[in-house]
Each structure stands twice: as C-alpha cells, then as structure tokens.
Amino acid sequence: MSGSVVDDTNQPVAGANIIVENSSTGTVTNDRGEYSIKLAQGDFTLKITYLGFKTIRREINLKSDKTLNFTLDPQTEDLEEVVVSDNIEKINIRDPEMSVSKLDGSSIKKIPVVFGEVDVIQSLLQLPGVSNAGEGASGFNVRGGATDQNLILIDDALIYNSSHLFGFFSIFNPDAVKNLKLYKGGIPANYGGRVSSVLDIKQKTGNSQKLKGEGGVGVISSKLTLEGPIQKDKSSFLISGRGTYAHLFLKLTDNANSAYFYDLNTKLNFDIDEKNSLSFSGYYGLDYVNINDSFTNIYGNAFGILDWSHKFNENITSNLNFSYSQYNYELDLALVGFNFENSISNFDLSYQIDHEINSNLSLSYGLSSIQYTVNPGEIVPTTADSGINPRKLNNKYAFDNAAFLTVNQSLSDNINIQYGLRVSAFLRMEDETIDIYEDNNPLLYDETRDIYVEAEPIDSRQGNTSRVNESFINFEPRLGLSYILDDNTSVKASYNRMVQNLHLLSNTSSPTPFDIWTPSGSFVKPQKLDQFALGYFKDFENIPFTLETEVFYKTIANRIDYIDGANLIANDAIERVILNGEGRAYGLEFYLKKNTGRLTGWLSYTLSRSEQRTPGRTPSEIGINNGDWYLNGYDKTHDISLTSSYELNDKWQLNSNFVLQTGRPVNFPVGQFEFQDLNIPVFEGRNLNRLPTFHRLDLSATYTPEKKNKNWSSSWNFGIYNVYNRRNAASLNFEQNSTTGQNEAVRFSIFGIVPSVSYNFKF
C-alpha cells in the first residue's frame, strides 16, 4: 500500500505517521509526503497522525496493491503545540535517528525576538547543543563547532552566509519556510561536506487550490507572501519578499548612515503526471551598509534549484537535483580610495533513489558532484591618488564528488538500525600561479624568539586550472541503533565520520561577511570528524511530556589554527599563517518538553566543553599556546533555555523565553609595558578568561481579534526583548581613562531593553 499525505492547502506533509493499529507496523512520510508499506492481505485499521492536524482512521480491506492518498485537516485546538523533534509518536521512538530537532513555521513564529522580527536562527538557539557567539553574532554553533562547520541547505541549495546585517537577522524568511530539520549527530550518508551539523530547510510548495497570502508590518521591516495555483490541482507558485526601512528614519534625522536588507524567495511546482513532478526554487538577498559615505558594504546570497521527482513504482522513487549558489561581498572604502570584492559559487548535481525492499528494510543511495569557484579577492583603486595598487588574488577551483548508501533495517521488534557509507573524492585544481618554498615549507619557526614567521617563496610557476593539484579520497561510515525498552521508551546510539574540505578563514568567534572560504589543498588538509552519541528517549504515556537526553564525544583532525598576528585579509598565501591542529568536544544535553494543553514549551540544558590544540610540527617547535589544549571561541560550559507558550483564551496567546549561558572565552591582558609613550598590553595563553555570564528574558503577547471577514484574519504581536534591560557584554575593552590615567575595562553591549509591535495578516 502506498500513497501521499497532504494538508488542506495541498502541501505535502513530511513526517506524518502511518500506523496500523493493534500492531507494531507503521511508517512515516518522506520529504515529499509519500509513504509505502507492505502488509499481508486482510482487514486493517489505519491511523494517520501529525501534530496540529486531526487524526484520520480508515478501515482497509487489502486484497492487492492499493494506492491511498490522505488529506489532513487542521485541528485548531492544537495550534499551540510546538513541534520540535520526531520523537513524539510511539513510531518515532523506534526510529534509530537521533540528535535531530525539528521546527515548523508556526513554532518559529512564537518565540520572542528582537525588534519583533521572527527569526529561524534565534529559534534554533533555544535547542540543546546549539548556541552562538552572542547578541548580534552571525551564524550558530552546534556542539562546540564553528559556524563554517554547519552545512546549511534550502531546498538542497548550499548557503554560505546565513545572516543579514552582520548577524542581527537571518536570511530565512519564516513565511516561506515549511519546516526545518537540524542534525547534530547520527547524520545520514546522503549529507556531507561539513563536520558539525546539517540544517535542512524546506520551503513551502504553494497552494494549488486557491490564491492565498500573508504578511506583516513591523517596527523596522515588512513582508508579504503570495501563493496559489498556476493550473488548479496541477501546479502552484509561491513568492515571498521582505525588506527593512530603518534607514528611511535615519534620513529624517539627518543621519548620513544607512543600513538595510531585502530578500525574495520563490518556488514553482508542477505535477506532470502521477509519477513525475518538477519544482523550481530561487532566492536573492542583499545587504547594504553605508557609513558617512566613506564606507560602503554590499553583500548577499543567491541560488536557483531545479528538482525532478520520479516514481518508478510503489517502492522506488528518485530525485534529480541541479542547483547553483553564490555568495558575493563588496567593500568600497571611499576614504582610502579602493574597492575590494570576493565571492564563492558552486554548481551542484545530485541524484538519489529511495528504495523500500520490504517493511523491515529500505535503502537510500545516490551520487553527487559539486564544482566550487572561490574568488579570494580583487582590489581596485577608485581614485587617481588612492595610493593602492590594483591586485587580483588567484581564483581557487575544486570538485567535490561523492557516492552514498544508507540502509534502514528492523532486526527485531526491539532493535532498529540505520547504517551507511559515504565515499567522497575531493579534487583541488591548480592555481593560476603556484609559489614554491624551500623544503616545501611556507611557515618557518624562529627558535630564538619562539615565534612563527612567514617564509618567502624561492620561486613560482604557472599553474593550469584544469589540472588536479591535490586529491583527497575519504570513506565516511555512519551508524545508528535504537533499542526499544517499551512502546514509549528507547535507548539510541550513533557514530559518524564526516569530512570537510571547505574552510572559512576567520579569526573572530563570530564570522563576518568579510571572511573568505578556502578549499583543501597542498597545505590545508581536510577536517575529519569522529562523533559518538548515546541517548535515552521517553514519551510519557499519562502526562503530556517527552524527555530526550544525550551524551556526545567528538574529535576533529586538521582543524585550522592561526599563528599569532596572522593577517587573513587579501592574503594570497594563506599557507604562511596557518597550522593544522585538532579539536574535541564533549557534553550532556537534556531536553524536556510539554506537547499539549494550554501551556506548552520546553526546557533545554547543555553541559559541554569544546577545545582546540595545535602542537609543534617538530619537538623544537612550541606550536600554538605551547601545544596545550585551550578553549575555543564557541565553548559554553552551561547553556539553559526555557521557552513557553500559554493560550490565555481565543484572542490572547502569551509567549516567553529565558536564556542563561556561561560567557564565551576571551583573552584579557595580564600586564603592559610602555614603548614610545604607548601602553602595550601583554597576553598569556589563549582564551584563559571569559565574558560575564549571559542571561536575558523575552516576553511577547499575540492578540487575534474576532474575524469579521472569513477571507481575512489578522493579529497583533507585542514584544519586549530583554525585559529587565540586562547589558550583556559583547566584548570587554581595556582602555586608559583619560581623566584618571588608570586602566579600566569597558563593557560593550549591543542591546538593552527593546520593545516591538507588529501587525500580521492572512487572506
């Protein structure tokens, strides 16, 4: 028996449960809302469930192969439910998938955020094992990993920078997002290329029945989404845009500064016939920052995807995906008289087949190939007297090819297993110009001063960008296991090996748009992860709570480390300032959530440690930090989040969010000396100090007036970010007081208390 599950707008429902009552048989729908299950002939009662929708029960008399499609209707009294992970229904307790969190669009919109601008990344930060460098910081960190170690996909297109306005907002428009899935471990073999996590975001498919829309007007931004049929029941479109207008208020106050962003999402879907469908997804976003007409910064992402899904039969489906992604950065310094640009782009072609052998065994296998082009930078003088020489850094080219296989198998009523293998072949092409160093060593060690110094090339040669310079072939096994203690309890374990061949060059804890990617090559080795995780999962039968707790341990080989004083800006010989080190992280994650009732929400707690070490290459070298382990910039010993939503009545919904975190590691000076009337600070070791503890409380209330028009609904959202005006430190700067002459620590904070109001509507 096979078919599909859609909602009332004809959008596929991924993760819906198909359960055969009074048996241990069941399955879940895939990302396209499709399912397939093998049953013996006879009479059955099917139960189709998905949180937020009414349960369907259907009596089935099965005499031969049958196709059954289901449409789920919303269950309004359950709209307050927050869907975070798959482990709610009993069927998911059995799934060997672990270290995975889910959020849907409605859940994301409930969490209070700064300026009232709903944000996907801020929602992720409330989950265990996920953090960032602080307020206004770009990206996110998973289990002590760096932001560049997260694979971010929107409809399978690669994203290189997930932030707007240097991290204040993310590029993900929540009105265009159907759901997201964050893998922190137990990652299937079809994903690769990063060593920390996978964030897989799916956009809405568009309503094929009728024209609908939604939007909102906020303090600094507005948004509008339209969706509807191109040909009813056959094709649909979705277009969603948003933009900020805070810069317009700056002009009214004669402020010469300006900062804004806008983005546009689109998706087209075509059901060609019962076995074939096509979809196209696209995105374009741009950020613009201008400071007194002397500094202009423009950057943004763009991608386009063409996807073909084909159903061979009830048991075999395939997906062919072709995409192009690009990230551009431009900096114009009129004060100095030069323009700097860099970019990264890729073409990606992948083919995947999902094959269900029987109800106890299914396969997923395929191939992928990605071609990367990295432009590290080009400097162009913009005035005749700028004093800047034009310079073009070498473009870098690479191919990342892979074959993968994932097997899901039920070994018994109590044991389910997922295992797989990914084989990756990374080919780094030659640069246009190749520097040659004495003894092939671009980084020298001065034993007299115990410091590393850049080596000067002794020669150079012309390269051929169509010739392979270095190749890296790696085997990446994956394993997941679940042992069912009872219908509501399971223990799970997983192991992952993953390889990353793209590295972000950044010497800040929170990457900036200026940071540059570089592929593995002669002196930059692939990062290699080994991660182990063990978890206990409980769906309480008589009370509306679920519990997830996991411990993890991971090591990363060949993690880039920078020598003291490393210059990463417009550096065409990055091999002269880096060393290959290693990293490790381990911890405990606790996650308790209440799923039903007027009060819903969750409590998450993470206890962890994340460290890095770079020993010397020879016994005479001291390495970085004397070769000792040191805390990396993403370590947070304690991380607590408490998120709640209370349905006061039909008109009012109250939301809250409390966060408490250990301050991130930093360096404070331990002394100083004077040189030519200047005070020079002295530092010892790396990340021996911490910023003060971070904590914050956010509140919001949503008012939904009574409908006066059945075709129009609206709501008002009132929020207070940082209710008690906590001045959390983004940094501590040590300065000399101009009055007393004494040294002092000055706290720099980004946000105090921030009220907001927004109006949202649907039609």
Side-chain angles (χ1 to χ4, degrees):
M1 186 173 62
S2 62
S4 62
V5 178
V6 298
D7 62 16
D8 60 322
T9 65
N10 206 36
Q11 295 211 47
V13 178
N17 299 291
I18 315 295
I19 301 169
V20 180
E21 292 196 327
N22 301 318
S23 77
S24 60
T25 304
T27 187
V28 295
T29 55
N30 61 20
D31 290 339
R32 297 182 293 277
E34 300 169 343
Y35 74 93
S36 178
I37 185 170
K38 287 187 178 293
L39 299 168
Q41 291 183 351
D43 296 325
F44 303 95
T45 300
L46 286 187
K47 183 171 73 171
I48 297 87
T49 66
Y50 189 74
L51 285 176
F53 292 87
K54 295 179 180 178
T55 297
I56 296 176
R57 279 184 169 82
R58 183 76 57 84
E59 300 293 334
I60 302 297
N61 179 257
L62 192 64
K63 297 181 178 179
S64 60
D65 292 346
K66 180 176 291 190
T67 299
L68 283 176
N69 301 321
F70 300 95
T71 300
L72 294 175
D73 293 322
Q75 190 170 25
T76 55
E77 62 268 24
D78 288 337
L79 286 181
E80 77 277 18
E81 292 182 349
V82 179
V83 184
V84 179
S85 75
D86 272 339
N87 303 312
I88 294 174
E89 292 285 340
K90 290 187 293 186
I91 191 68
N92 294 313
I93 291 293
R94 297 178 170 272
D95 198 322
E97 183 178 79
M98 66 179 299
S99 306
V100 176
S101 296
K102 279 186 175 182
L103 287 171
D104 65 11
S106 61
S107 302
I108 293 168
K109 295 177 181 179
K110 292 180 180 180
I111 298 176
V113 290
V114 67
F115 300 127
E117 179 67 27
V118 176
D119 192 271
V120 169
I121 298 298
Q122 291 300 317
S123 303
L124 292 176
L125 298 180
Q126 314 313 316
L127 301 173
V130 186
S131 64
N132 70 353
E135 292 176 314
S138 62
F140 58 97
N141 308 108
V142 175
R143 289 183 171 175
T147 56
D148 70 306
Q149 295 174 334
N150 302 316
L151 177 65
I152 303 176
L153 303 170
I154 301 182
D155 286 345
D156 296 324
L158 281 168
I159 300 297
Y160 296 101
N161 187 326
S162 62
S163 300
H164 278 309
L165 296 183
F166 303 99
F168 289 108
F169 308 100
S170 73
I171 67 169
F172 312 113
N173 185 341
D175 287 348
V177 172
K178 179 170 178 61
N179 56 51
L180 62 84
K181 201 171 187 178
L182 177 67
Y183 295 87
K184 298 175 292 184
I187 301 173
N190 56 300
Y191 297 108
R194 301 292 188 274
V195 295
S196 189
S197 75
V198 176
L199 176 58
D200 192 358
I201 297 176
K202 300 300 182 185
Q203 294 190 113
K204 294 178 180 177
T205 57
N207 193 320
S208 63
Q209 303 295 315
K210 59 182 178 179
L211 180 66
K212 298 183 70 175
E214 62 180 306
V217 179
V219 176
I220 64 170
S221 67
S222 291
K223 54 188 177 180
L224 178 65
T225 300
L226 294 174
E227 57 179 312
I230 300 174
Q231 180 182 1
K232 191 172 182 179
D233 294 329
K234 290 291 186 181
S235 56
S236 64
F237 75 90
L238 179 139
I239 184 168
S240 184
R242 60 178 180 161
T244 59
Y245 35 74
H247 60 292
L248 300 178
F249 298 110
L250 294 176
K251 291 182 179 180
L252 295 176
T253 60
D254 294 326
N255 191 318
N257 300 328
S258 182
Y260 63 84
F261 75 83
Y262 63 84
D263 52 31
L264 181 69
N265 297 70
T266 185
K267 190 166 186 178
L268 306 175
N269 292 274
F270 304 91
D271 291 331
I272 300 173
D273 54 38
E274 291 184 355
K275 292 189 175 182
N276 295 279
S277 63
L278 285 174
S279 69
F280 170 80
S281 298
Y283 171 87
Y284 180 78
L286 182 137
D287 285 67
Y288 177 91
V289 178
N290 181 274
I291 308 296
N292 290 323
D293 293 325
S294 61
F295 168 97
T296 302
N297 195 191
I298 303 173
Y299 61 94
N301 295 275
F303 67 74
I305 314 125
L306 184 63
D307 186 275
W308 171 41
S309 295
H310 175 69
K311 187 174 183 178
F312 291 97
N313 54 45
E314 288 77 7
N315 300 320
I316 303 176
T317 59
S318 68
N319 187 259
L320 178 66
N321 185 286
F322 177 72
S323 66
Y324 174 78
S325 298
Q326 185 178 48
Y327 173 73
N328 291 304
Y329 176 89
E330 180 180 353
L331 174 66
D332 192 331
L333 282 175
L335 189 65
V336 182
F338 79 90
N339 179 275
F340 177 82
E341 294 184 18
N342 69 59
S343 65
I344 181 172
S345 62
N346 72 270
F347 289 97
D348 185 351
L349 179 65
S350 64
Y351 185 64
Q352 179 173 327
I353 294 177
D354 296 317
H355 187 178
E356 183 162 354
I357 307 297
N358 53 52
S359 58
N360 295 320
L361 179 64
S362 63
L363 311 176
S364 180
Y365 47 89
L367 303 168
S368 69
S369 181
I370 306 175
Q371 187 270 329
Y372 293 107
T373 300
V374 180
N375 172 15
E378 182 175 6
I379 300 174
V380 178
T382 55
T383 61
D385 59 347
S386 75
I388 301 294
N389 295 321
R391 187 184 180 198
K392 173 69 176 72
L393 278 64
N394 281 322
N395 279 1
K396 296 173 171 55
Y397 304 94
F399 290 87
D400 196 353
N401 307 304
F404 56 87
L405 168 67
T406 298
V407 181
N408 285 279
Q409 188 172 7
S410 177
L411 300 181
S412 69
D413 288 342
N414 294 328
I415 301 176
N416 294 312
I417 188 171
Q418 180 186 85
Y419 52 95
L421 177 67
R422 183 182 182 90
V423 181
S424 60
F426 188 83
L427 308 178
R428 169 69 185 273
M429 316 309 287
E430 289 186 348
D431 294 344
E432 294 177 358
T433 303
I434 300 174
D435 289 332
I436 300 174
Y437 302 95
E438 185 175 357
D439 297 328
N440 199 33
N441 183 12
L443 183 62
L444 305 178
Y445 182 69
D446 186 335
E447 294 187 20
T448 304
R449 295 182 293 167
D450 278 336
I451 62 172
Y452 289 92
V453 294
E454 300 179 36
E456 291 296 326
I458 59 176
D459 199 0
S460 64
R461 67 177 178 85
Q462 193 72 21
N464 184 349
T465 57
S466 62
R467 182 187 303 147
V468 176
N469 184 49
E470 290 282 341
S471 61
F472 303 95
I473 298 176
N474 286 285
F475 293 86
E476 307 173 38
R478 317 287 170 88
L479 177 64
L481 173 72
S482 67
Y483 181 78
I484 315 304
L485 300 177
D486 57 49
D487 287 344
N488 301 301
T489 312
S490 67
V491 175
K492 301 183 183 184
S494 68
Y495 165 74
N496 271 87
R497 163 159 282 214
M498 301 187 72
V499 174
Q500 178 168 337
N501 285 290
L502 276 184
H503 315 264
L504 189 65
L505 302 176
S506 174
N507 52 10
T508 61
S509 296
S510 174
T512 69
F514 197 34
D515 298 329
I516 298 170
W517 293 86
T518 189
S520 297
S522 300
F523 303 104
V524 183
K525 304 303 179 185
Q527 299 179 64
K528 297 181 180 180
L529 163 85
D530 289 290
Q531 179 173 230
F532 300 86
L534 179 67
Y536 174 82
F537 302 82
K538 179 72 174 180
D539 184 1
F540 295 96
E541 188 171 5
N542 298 320
I543 56 176
F545 286 91
T546 56
L547 171 66
E548 303 174 26
T549 181
E550 295 187 29
V551 292
F552 67 90
Y553 179 84
K554 65 180 184 180
T555 61
I556 299 175
N558 300 327
R559 178 62 180 160
I560 285 180
D561 210 342
Y562 310 106
I563 65 172
D564 293 333
N567 175 30
L568 306 178
I569 307 303
N571 190 339
D572 209 12
I574 198 68
E575 65 270 12
R576 301 185 207 173
V577 295
I578 63 172
L579 289 168
N580 289 306
E582 60 180 326
R584 69 183 181 190
Y586 47 92
L588 164 71
E589 296 172 358
F590 175 88
Y591 190 39
L592 178 69
K593 59 182 182 284
K594 185 175 184 292
N595 306 302
T596 60
R598 299 177 69 179
L599 176 65
T600 59
W602 66 82
L603 170 67
S604 71
Y605 171 66
T606 305
L607 172 67
S608 64
R609 191 174 184 87
S610 182
E611 301 173 308
Q612 191 159 331
R613 179 176 69 172
T614 306
R617 297 169 297 181
T618 65
S620 62
E621 293 185 8
I622 63 171
I624 305 297
N625 197 55
N626 294 316
D628 297 329
W629 288 101
Y630 67 90
L631 299 176
N632 63 30
Y634 331 111
D635 177 83
K636 293 188 177 180
T637 307
H638 303 282
D639 188 348
I640 301 172
S641 293
L642 178 60
T643 301
S644 66
S645 178
Y646 181 70
E647 197 79 27
L648 187 62
N649 51 44
D650 292 340
K651 294 183 177 181
W652 285 96
Q653 179 177 279
L654 308 178
N655 304 297
S656 68
N657 181 46
F658 176 73
V659 179
L660 175 67
Q661 299 173 343
T662 303
R664 65 180 177 85
V666 291
N667 279 338
F668 294 157
V670 297
Q672 66 177 22
F673 64 90
E674 290 189 7
F675 178 74
Q676 296 181 354
D677 296 327
L678 295 175
N679 289 326
I680 310 299
V682 176
F683 296 89
E684 287 185 358
R686 287 198 178 184
N687 292 345
L688 298 177
N689 311 100
R690 289 187 183 272
L691 292 177
T693 299
F694 180 101
H695 54 87
R696 190 189 74 238
L697 172 65
D698 311 322
L699 299 175
S700 72
T702 300
Y703 172 69
T704 305
E706 187 176 345
K707 281 187 180 183
K708 295 183 179 180
N709 184 334
K710 67 177 182 179
N711 295 322
W712 180 275
S713 62
S714 62
S715 64
W716 289 89
N717 182 272
F718 307 93
I720 303 178
Y721 178 89
N722 197 358
V723 172
Y724 48 83
N725 199 30
R726 164 75 174 179
R727 307 297 295 187
N728 286 299
S731 65
L732 286 179
N733 300 317
F734 290 82
E735 304 173 359
Q736 190 176 45
N737 189 291
S738 58
T739 302
T740 65
Q742 298 295 314
N743 292 335
E744 61 182 6
V746 179
R747 176 185 301 211
F748 173 69
S749 300
I750 296 178
F751 292 120
I753 184 171
V754 182
S756 65
V757 60
S758 61
Y759 175 73
N760 301 290
F761 55 88
K762 291 184 178 182
F763 59 88

